[in-house]
Amino acid sequence: MKNKNEKTSAMKNKILAASISLFAQKGFDGASVSEIAKLAGVNKALIYYYFKNKNDILESLFNDLLQSIQQIAADFANNRKQLLNGSSMPELIDGKLVFNDAEAKEQFIKITKAFYETLVYAMIEQRKLIRILMIESLKYNSKDKHLFKIATLQPDFFGGSDMEQLVNYLMEFYGSKKTRFYLFFHSLVPVFSFAAFYDKFRAIYDSGDEEMVKEFLLVNDLQLRSFIEWNSRIADQQS
Amino acid sequence: MKNKNEKTSAMKNKILAASISLFAQKGFDGASVSEIAKLAGVNKALIYYYFKNKNDILESLFNDLLQSIQQIAADFANNRKQLLNGSSMPELIDGKLVFNDAEAKEQFIKITKAFYETLVYAMIEQRKLIRILMIESLKYNSKDKHLFKIATLQPDFFGGSDMEQLVNYLMEFYGSKKTRFYLFFHSLVPVFSFAAFYDKFRAIYDSGDEEMVKEFLLVNDLQLRSFIEWNSRIADQQS
Amino acid sequence: MKNKNEKTSAMKNKILAASISLFAQKGFDGASVSEIAKLAGVNKALIYYYFKNKNDILESLFNDLLQSIQQIAADFANNRKQLLNGSSMPELIDGKLVFNDAEAKEQFIKITKAFYETLVYAMIEQRKLIRILMIESLKYNSKDKHLFKIATLQPDFFGGSDMEQLVNYLMEFYGSKKTRFYLFFHSLVPVFSFAAFYDKFRAIYDSGDEEMVKEFLLVNDLQLRSFIEWNSRIADQQS
Amino acid sequence: MKNKNEKTSAMKNKILAASISLFAQKGFDGASVSEIAKLAGVNKALIYYYFKNKNDILESLFNDLLQSIQQIAADFANNRKQLLNGSSMPELIDGKLVFNDAEAKEQFIKITKAFYETLVYAMIEQRKLIRILMIESLKYNSKDKHLFKIATLQPDFFGGSDMEQLVNYLMEFYGSKKTRFYLFFHSLVPVFSFAAFYDKFRAIYDSGDEEMVKEFLLVNDLQLRSFIEWNSRIADQQS
DNA sequence: AATGAATGAGTATTCATTCAT
DNA sequence: AATGAATGAATACTCATTCAT
């Protein structure tokens, strides 16, 4: 029975699940360890058997989230080749995307959309965690850098996967302060906010699940095109 | 003696200022009444003289924020006529914006941008409060509805100002679920996030003040145009 | 009613008294803040109103003890003149006490005994605190230096009293490592131990109060004489 | 198979060693079972396999200490004859030591010093345990009687060794309340304190090992003589 | 208007100890 | 003999709030 690491202990998972629920409801500071224990149905002291303190629970959750996002990126990178099928990626010339031809541009949009879609669905699935991450990231003196770790796709984010080419590509791209800025406020923050406010919005506006997501993706499609246009503009300014 | 309300007592203002600082740093739950008293330089018990409990401080802050946003909207409404100078607003036909001519469209974009710019600068000025509002709004069981009050420009939001016409116009517009959705996730949330993450982003990416704001507004300009395009599309779908 | 500092608040004193009792019974770590509160008849939180943490109570007690010992030393110094009446103090020559004549020696012994007696009675009165001090000083990683502060009669121990002459005299005397050593293990430690074990010894051997003290002082008398003999010996070795 | 008791299991010894270190550093209450387990490098539950509870560890340590002191006394008793070689012990008449002649007195002093020296070196070796014993004995409600067991040389202290004669002799001697008192405060407590404060004193006064011990023994020599003088005095009073 | 003192309920965390294996 | 998991009760400390003045 080597599945010692695999099961991670049922109790520990119950603690993590309860923590997610409560942190998402009340924030990290608003939820108490006692509550978590009660909801998880475990003894309070057991929490300190598995985690060195309350903050360590949060850290553990965020690390899981980081890893799952890394996984999405890695999976996507590995499948990219077949998505591209023949077409080439745009060249990056001084931070400006240069496409070989119109078809290459459409192909680029298509695979970017595919990635975005995958990401959005994953974020929705993890929306409670996203909510927690946003709450804690907004506090100014939070030492937490998790949101920014994700936002900036730091190199250590990607292990030895064969997606190095893409990462290098993105890194060069992100190197432009303006691009990083754009992606943070106009791409990452909206996706995260969408996930974070998902339940609240649905409850208040009574939207159907599928409808909401489709709508969101449609807009992102438009925004992607507007980004490409913006990119050519700022690149022009830089040159 | 209306100046009683105006000065609101120096002590009370010190309490409010200290609360903003601490809530923005640590969130509502993370900041304690004792800390607030110490930072404000007042006796803890005095806080309970001015506010009925800790939550009442938050409520008071949010109401101030709401009012200041209302004021911006009202000021804008009052000045709108001279901005329009001759051109007419688009007609709303089944949620679709219909412009008389190209110039009317440009004029619409211009005054919308002007409003947006005013709003963004105001939000930056109040960024600590925005941060607090976002933190508290993200918590799922927060009874708070403030963010959504703002988001939906509810009628009670606007006192007896002469901007009724605009409000009615917007209301009709917002009536479309899809529009409301669009505006929430692609207009309001980005502006609020921009204000909320302003300091953090600046600290990490070392961006200059003016630069950041200009960049943000430029993108919003592009997005506004993409919204108009989107609007015509969804309107087509509805019909 | 300016006696604000004088009364130090009845509640605070109750807390201190309860702390002494419990620390003396169970040691610092063995006594809990809850117990102290219960014994003192005050709310637990009030303890943290007056003291910043549990350790601060101990610190406060030790400082009081230090001050009371300082007071004894100061009082004695101020009265010394009339005790000496005519006779002179011995000279210190290379750490060796040199007396003018036999009478001067007896006089020295007499006033030293008088000081010792005063000290012993004071220590008995404060025996609980002495017990606490010894317990905590014995722990090796105790950051506490209180016992050694007392033991070494550090200069800052004596304020601006007119006993400077005596202090300087003692300091010169203490300068000898061997003397400091002698006084620590053969003078201070026995007095402190006597006070610390006073109650236990009485309970087990059923000794009368007065009898015990007299006996102890008699032995100290003999030891003082043996010290003087020892002093002349070690001084001889040093020369 | 008596070597079962002898080796006592390596694990058990590791636990005992760790306990000594930690109790000596922080006192019994200040050290936790978890810490002990960690320092010993064993599983916490194993401690409860070897000891019935935390207190049982302490009890076990104290019993070892008692036994080792007994051993010193027994060894000494067994070697006494050859030390005496010819001279006789003093007679005890009404608690007063009566010597046959001057040489007998010197011989008594010599063998007493020899015993003392052996004891002091043994105590220094066991100084951590002594420290623990003193800390716990000082607490007033400690049920522990170990220090007093040692102090009073209770009969059950000595098994069936051939030292019965000496023990009986001492018992008669100790019978005098005043003697018992003298020995406790002026002989036992200083030796124990010397061992207990040994490390602290060395650290603060930066004394060399050998130097300190020699100095201490020299003083004890003087005190022994002063004790004999004192003994003749009190004996006079009793008669 | 402003404060020092006081409180009950709660916080995170650690404790000694036990149990199943 | 040895361990990982589990627990109930306690720990030091803080909280929001109140009260008398």
Side-chain angles (χ1 to χ4, degrees), chain D residues 110-150:
Chain D
K110 193 176 148 196
I111 76 166
T112 307
K113 274 172 65 181
F115 174 69
Y116 218 73
E117 189 173 331
T118 314
L119 188 68
V120 165
Y121 277 107
M123 294 300 93
I124 290 172
E125 221 183 308
Q126 307 236 45
R127 59 189 181 273
K128 281 188 183 176
L129 257 174
I130 300 288
R131 203 148 69 210
I132 300 168
L133 178 62
M134 283 202 74
I135 292 170
E136 298 311 316
S137 297
L138 280 164
K139 295 177 188 170
Y140 193 68
N141 78 346
S142 64
K143 304 127 294 184
D144 136 280
K145 293 278 157 50
H146 290 96
L147 186 63
F148 288 89
K149 257 195 200 160
I150 294 172

Side-chain angles (χ1 to χ4, degrees), chain D residues 37-48:
Chain D
K38 195 192 288 177
L39 183 60
V42 306
N43 184 282
K44 211 191 330 181
L46 190 62
I47 292 179
Y48 289 88

Side-chain angles (χ1 to χ4, degrees), chain C residues 48-211:
Chain C
Y48 290 90
Y49 179 75
Y50 286 113
F51 303 94
K52 77 176 196 287
N53 53 36
K54 191 185 172 188
N55 210 71
D56 194 33
I57 306 175
L58 193 64
E59 217 61 34
S60 164
L61 291 175
F62 285 165
N63 284 334
D64 289 355
L65 178 63
L66 277 183
Q67 274 179 20
S68 96
I69 294 178
Q70 281 174 352
Q71 196 54 50
I72 291 162
D75 287 352
F76 179 74
N78 292 335
N79 298 332
R80 191 170 48 98
K81 280 159 209 149
Q82 71 192 77
L83 283 164
L84 276 176
N85 76 300
S87 296
S88 59
M89 289 287 280
E91 269 187 280
L92 250 186
I93 300 171
D94 291 329
K96 181 172 177 168
L97 295 163
V98 177
F99 298 94
N100 275 351
D101 50 36
E103 201 218 344
K105 190 173 181 176
E106 282 312 306
Q107 201 60 26
F108 177 79
I109 288 173
K110 192 174 148 196
I111 76 166
T112 307
K113 274 173 64 182
F115 174 69
Y116 219 73
E117 189 173 330
T118 313
L119 188 68
V120 165
Y121 276 106
M123 295 300 93
I124 290 173
E125 220 184 308
Q126 307 233 44
R127 60 189 179 274
K128 282 187 182 177
L129 256 174
I130 300 287
R131 201 149 69 213
I132 299 168
L133 179 61
M134 283 202 74
I135 293 170
E136 298 311 316
S137 297
L138 280 164
K139 295 178 188 169
Y140 192 67
N141 77 346
S142 65
K143 303 127 295 183
D144 136 281
K145 292 276 156 53
H146 290 96
L147 186 63
F148 288 89
K149 256 197 201 158
I150 295 172
T152 54
L153 292 174
Q154 286 168 354
D156 66 334
F157 209 77
F158 302 91
S161 76
D162 91 313
M163 65 184 302
E164 286 166 47
Q165 195 202 340
L166 180 61
V167 172
N168 288 335
Y169 178 77
L170 286 167
M171 277 304 99
E172 191 184 346
F173 193 61
Y174 275 75
S176 153
K177 209 201 289 185
K178 286 188 181 174
T179 311
R180 236 159 35 190
F181 174 86
Y182 181 94
L183 287 173
F184 184 78
F185 282 115
H186 297 284
S187 187
L188 184 102
V189 161
V191 177
F192 271 54
S193 300
F194 180 64
F197 283 114
Y198 191 84
D199 290 323
K200 272 213 157 175
F201 199 90
R202 242 188 352 164
I204 293 175
Y205 291 113
D206 187 35
S207 298
D209 255 30
E210 269 309 299
E211 184 192 5

Side-chain angles (χ1 to χ4, degrees), chain B residues 58-71:
Chain B
L58 192 66
E59 218 59 38
S60 164
L61 292 174
F62 284 164
N63 285 334
D64 289 355
L65 178 63
L66 279 184
Q67 273 178 24
S68 97
I69 295 177
Q70 281 174 352
Q71 195 54 49

Side-chain angles (χ1 to χ4, degrees), chain C residues 214-232:
Chain C
K214 265 189 197 147
E215 209 54 57
F216 187 76
L217 288 171
L218 170 62
V219 173
N220 276 313
D221 182 10
L222 291 167
Q223 288 200 328
L224 175 58
R225 292 171 191 278
S226 108
F227 165 71
I228 288 168
E229 185 185 343
W230 169 83
N231 168 261
S232 55

